[in-house]
Amino acid sequence: GNSVTQMEGPVTLSEEAFLTINCTYTATGYPSLFWYVQYPGEGLQLLLKATKADDKGSNKGFEATYRKETTSFHLEKGSVQVSDSAVYFCALSDSEEFQGAQKLVFGQGTRLTINP
Amino acid sequence: DGGITQSPKYLFRKEGQNVTLSCEQNLNHDAMYWYRQDPGQGLRLIYYSQIVNDFQKGDIAEGYSVSREKKESFPLTVTSAQKNPTAFYLCASSMKTSWSYNEQFFGPGTRLTVL
């Protein structure tokens, strides 16, 4: 079945450091890929997405490129801020409809802490 | 403002009691979903619904029930049959386009604690 594997956390960085959170996936077909962010005590917010190979999703300084050859979708940011502290989830959706709805498969999440 | 609301934010339940978690959306989305989140884990799908009066089991449906009587509402009941109900519950919705469903939008969640 489809699965997502994320870099284990927690990850702790200093402000303005470069961030990479690794994400690899296993899927049949041609999934769409997503990064969601969860701030403490809140629901998930979509951070960025890519729907086909070589697409680059970007938002708020974060980027991720859909690499079909390496089945990866690593999240990067050039200079992190304290406000980026959160849990980040990589997810995929199968391109085939899941009985009419869209099933998302999530990684286990990576907790990121940025120190000033 | 459009969005998804979940209530209550915190819920405490005694063992053996059923409890219902509310989820309402005013985004006019077709599909709605319920997920369970445990510490240090990703989200697991409990139930989903693509249309009123229809819903399907997800990966961990045992001990849960849902209804979809209105497009905007998708309540989740955690029954006494659920052996380990303490968790953070997230509701989501998505809109169907002509060829697929868009990304899912999430509510703020309900934290359920069984005493």
Side-chain angles (χ1 to χ4, degrees), chain A residues 25 33 52-55 65-73:
Chain A
Y25 67 90
L33 300 174
K52 62 183 187 296
D54 299 325
D55 267 3
T65 302
Y66 189 162
R67 302 284 189 201
K68 189 169 171 59
E69 64 277 12
T70 55
T71 62
S72 65
F73 193 55

Side-chain angles (χ1 to χ4, degrees), chain A residues 58-96:
Chain A
S58 61
N59 186 27
K60 299 181 181 179
F62 291 90
E63 293 183 339
T65 302
Y66 189 162
R67 302 284 189 201
K68 189 169 171 59
E69 64 277 12
T70 55
T71 62
S72 65
F73 193 55
H74 305 322
L75 182 69
E76 296 181 338
K77 187 175 185 182
S79 177
V80 293
Q81 306 300 314
V82 172
S83 57
D84 294 327
S85 298
V87 180
Y88 292 81
F89 291 93
C90 185
L92 67 81
S93 73
D94 205 305
S95 59
E96 305 253 342

Side-chain angles (χ1 to χ4, degrees), chain A residues 6 89 106-109, chain B residues 35-44:
Chain A
Q6 276 183 245
F89 291 93
F106 287 87
Q108 78 273 26
Chain B
Y35 293 90
R36 171 183 171 133
Q37 184 180 18
D38 293 287
Q41 297 188 31
L43 279 67
R44 292 183 289 168

Side-chain angles (χ1 to χ4, degrees), chain A:
Chain A
N2 296 343
S3 66
V4 174
T5 301
Q6 276 183 245
M7 170 179 174
E8 286 204 21
V11 174
T12 303
L13 297 171
S14 297
E15 208 166 19
E16 300 184 3
F18 184 85
L19 168 70
T20 300
I21 301 178
N22 290 339
C23 171
T24 57
Y25 67 90
T26 302
T28 55
Y30 303 94
S32 295
L33 300 174
F34 306 86
W35 276 101
Y36 281 87
V37 58
Q38 184 179 35
Y39 298 102
E42 298 184 8
L44 275 66
Q45 301 174 25
L46 179 67
L47 182 58
L48 53 85
K49 69 175 182 179
T51 58
K52 62 183 187 296
D54 299 325
D55 267 3
K56 178 186 280 189
S58 61
N59 186 27
K60 299 181 181 179
F62 291 90
E63 293 183 339
T65 302
Y66 189 162
R67 302 284 189 201
K68 189 169 171 59
E69 64 277 12
T70 55
T71 62
S72 65
F73 193 55
H74 305 322
L75 182 69
E76 296 181 338
K77 187 175 185 182
S79 177
V80 293
Q81 306 300 314
V82 172
S83 57
D84 294 327
S85 298
V87 180
Y88 292 81
F89 291 93
C90 185
L92 67 81
S93 73
D94 205 305
S95 59
E96 305 253 342
E97 284 194 0
F98 181 52
Q99 297 188 26
Q102 179 192 61
K103 182 177 183 181
L104 288 180
V105 176
F106 287 87
Q108 78 273 26
T110 301
R111 182 175 298 279
L112 173 67
T113 301
I114 307 300
N115 293 321

Side-chain angles (χ1 to χ4, degrees), chain B residues 94-115:
Chain B
S94 64
M95 173 178 284
K96 182 173 172 58
T97 63
S98 58
W99 58 277
S100 74
Y101 282 83
N102 286 327
E103 63 268 16
Q104 293 180 21
F105 292 80
F106 285 80
T110 293
R111 187 167 298 282
L112 173 64
T113 302
V114 174
L115 303 173

